[in-house]
Amino acid sequence: MSKVLDILRRDKKLFFNDLDMESVNSTGTSDVNLVADFTEYNPLHNGHFHCMKTAKHMFPESLFVAIVPGLFERSGRGIPYILPRELRAEMAISVGADVVVEGPPMGIMGSGQYSLCLCKMFKSLNTDHIPRGYKPMPGFEEILKRINLGHHIAPKPYKIVDKTTNEIILKNKLEEDNYVITSFSNSLSKIGFDYTNKFIFVERIGGVSGTLIRESIINDDFDGVMDMMPSSTIEILKREIQNESIIYGIRDVESILDAANNYSFEELSSLNLFNDKLAENIIGNRPYTNLDELEKSILHGFSSHFRQRILSILENPIQKQTISHYIDKYPSNLRILGYKNEEILEKFIKKVNNENISLF
């Protein structure tokens, strides 16, 4: 628990330092091709490795940069990661990534907010290609085709719209990986980034279960999942289990309950993703003695992971205005979590469009 508290306190300082830092954009002077992949690596498995290998095979002379989130160590589902990001970065380097940079604090943001941050990161990295895994489904190939033509594709509730041609091109709800692709297209269009022919769409491979992998880590029993991960991932996981570095499911319960029990209506309603109704509901069901009681008072949101995101926000209570300001400046600082060697690092620095670069 002390490790998680140390991480949260450290990351709060990093968040506000980044917020106070002035963005200094530059123009990359390198002709090196840069492939940037966003993946949580929670943990890195064969599906991630397959996507990386495919991109590296297509552009063997490129720099492969992994964007690994990020501050507060909470996933896009609002749930604590398996391992801190510096160890997830080590996994990426061990299987071929050249540089790993820190991505946005996903767990305290809405999906549209962190999608926008990630796309601003792609722009700051001066990205040439973006590999993304997808799951085949009827009608989705047409969406992928239009994205690589540079069309502005936008996800709406239960439909996908081509805003370039003003057509509804799919009436359906997309699975998570496929939704992320359309969300990226929408966000990249908003920031004016030309992504024509930049995406590398890689069909997801079978035989990998993130749920089974995470269960194996908690139980320290890898017998049933040995063929789902690269050997280097398994070695790092076994080592960090011995080092007691697993943070999956561990929260600062005291801080969450303190905020839920003691924040005023104005304080709660000002937090990111909160609205008046949610604040009223939490206040109306006080006091809380455990997280189960609190979760029952959190209204359902559009996302099935909304309750876990709200717990992460109560754990790290940051106002929505502050998050908005953070997104406006993002990325004010490119924080490097790992890199292959000094020569690679020098190439990376020459390539990117950001003068504020720091090592984690």
Side-chain angles (χ1 to χ4, degrees):
M1 182 60 186
S2 61
K3 183 180 184 67
V4 171
L5 288 175
D6 289 344
I7 289 171
L8 294 177
R9 288 172 184 145
R10 175 201 66 193
D11 285 0
K12 190 171 184 178
K13 290 180 181 178
L14 290 174
F15 175 90
F16 284 101
N17 285 342
D18 289 348
L19 190 66
D20 290 338
M21 188 176 291
E22 291 302 319
S23 301
V24 183
N25 296 323
S26 59
T27 303
T29 58
S30 170
D31 59 359
V32 171
N33 190 77
L34 188 147
V35 177
D37 182 25
F38 157 70
T39 313
E40 295 179 280
Y41 295 142
N42 189 38
L44 190 150
H45 55 58
N46 286 345
H48 303 132
F49 189 32
H50 172 67
C51 192
M52 181 189 293
K53 286 190 297 184
T54 300
K56 286 172 71 70
H57 177 74
M58 292 177 66
F59 300 98
E61 302 303 317
S62 68
L63 279 179
F64 189 98
V65 178
I67 305 169
V68 174
L71 292 167
F72 306 114
E73 299 295 355
R74 270 77 185 116
S75 72
R77 299 176 180 181
I79 299 169
Y81 285 119
I82 287 287
L83 287 170
R85 56 193 178 277
E86 65 268 23
L87 297 172
R88 290 181 284 129
E90 182 185 347
M91 290 177 180
I93 297 293
S94 74
V95 295
D98 295 302
V99 179
V100 182
V101 298
E102 180 187 276
M106 294 178 65
I108 63 167
M109 288 181 165
S111 58
Q113 291 176 323
Y114 68 72
S115 175
L116 184 58
C117 283
L118 286 166
C119 289
K120 292 178 80 171
M121 176 64 82
F122 289 138
K123 188 174 183 178
S124 187
L125 292 174
N126 199 12
T127 302
D128 296 291
H129 295 285
I130 305 168
R132 286 305 304 170
Y134 75 97
K135 187 173 183 179
M137 61 169 286
F140 198 64
E141 292 288 344
E142 177 64 21
I143 292 174
L144 299 183
K145 174 184 172 183
R146 292 189 186 212
I147 288 174
N148 261 343
L149 287 173
H151 287 214
H152 181 179
I153 307 300
K156 304 290 183 180
Y158 301 101
K159 64 182 178 182
I160 306 299
V161 177
D162 185 335
K163 299 185 78 171
T164 301
T165 62
N166 294 317
E167 296 174 84
I168 296 174
I169 52 177
L170 187 68
K171 290 185 177 181
N172 207 339
K173 187 175 181 179
L174 296 177
E175 292 191 29
E176 188 170 349
D177 285 351
N178 292 357
Y179 180 88
V180 167
I181 290 171
T182 59
S183 183
F184 278 170
S185 170
N186 190 38
S187 296
L188 287 168
S189 296
K190 287 180 178 179
I191 65 172
F193 186 81
D194 183 6
Y195 50 89
T196 305
N197 292 322
K198 285 189 180 290
F199 278 96
I200 304 168
F201 295 120
V202 181
E203 185 175 336
R204 284 176 54 183
I205 62 172
V208 177
S209 168
T211 300
L212 288 179
I213 290 172
R214 285 185 281 275
E215 287 177 359
S216 74
I217 295 167
I218 299 304
N219 296 324
D220 192 8
D221 181 4
F222 294 88
D223 289 346
V225 297
M226 293 290 288
D227 60 348
M228 295 184 188
M229 294 177 282
S231 58
S232 59
T233 292
I234 296 173
E235 289 172 8
I236 292 169
L237 285 170
K238 288 183 175 180
R239 183 193 73 201
E240 295 307 323
I241 288 172
Q242 295 301 312
N243 291 339
E244 299 184 348
S245 299
I246 304 300
I247 59 173
Y248 184 64
I250 302 175
R251 289 194 178 275
D252 180 4
V253 176
E254 184 177 344
S255 292
I256 295 171
L257 295 179
D258 177 66
N261 284 324
N262 298 307
Y263 271 35
S264 68
F265 170 79
E266 289 76 17
E267 288 173 320
L268 285 174
S269 61
S270 71
L271 297 178
N272 199 41
L273 300 190
F274 271 70
N275 56 32
D276 290 355
K277 189 173 181 180
L278 176 57
E280 288 171 354
N281 215 55
I282 288 177
I283 289 172
N285 288 286
R286 290 172 174 172
Y288 305 101
T289 60
N290 57 63
L291 295 190
D292 288 338
E293 292 175 356
L294 175 57
E295 280 192 57
K296 292 174 183 176
S297 294
I298 299 174
L299 305 170
H300 288 287
F302 179 72
S303 166
S304 59
H305 312 300
F306 183 71
R307 286 177 169 173
Q308 293 300 318
R309 285 185 182 175
I310 293 300
L311 291 183
S312 291
I313 289 165
L314 289 169
E315 191 175 37
N316 307 282
I318 299 174
Q319 293 184 336
K320 52 175 69 88
Q321 285 186 341
T322 303
I323 292 290
S324 179
H325 184 43
Y326 179 85
I327 293 170
D328 287 343
K329 299 182 72 172
Y330 190 84
S332 59
N333 177 33
L334 287 181
R335 195 153 33 242
I336 298 174
L337 302 177
Y339 57 95
K340 188 176 290 184
N341 55 50
E342 295 294 333
E343 181 183 357
I344 289 293
L345 180 61
E346 185 177 345
K347 287 182 179 179
F348 172 79
I349 292 171
K350 288 181 179 179
K351 172 69 175 177
V352 302
N353 294 328
N354 195 319
E355 291 188 9
N356 294 335
I357 299 174
S358 62
L359 299 179
F360 184 69

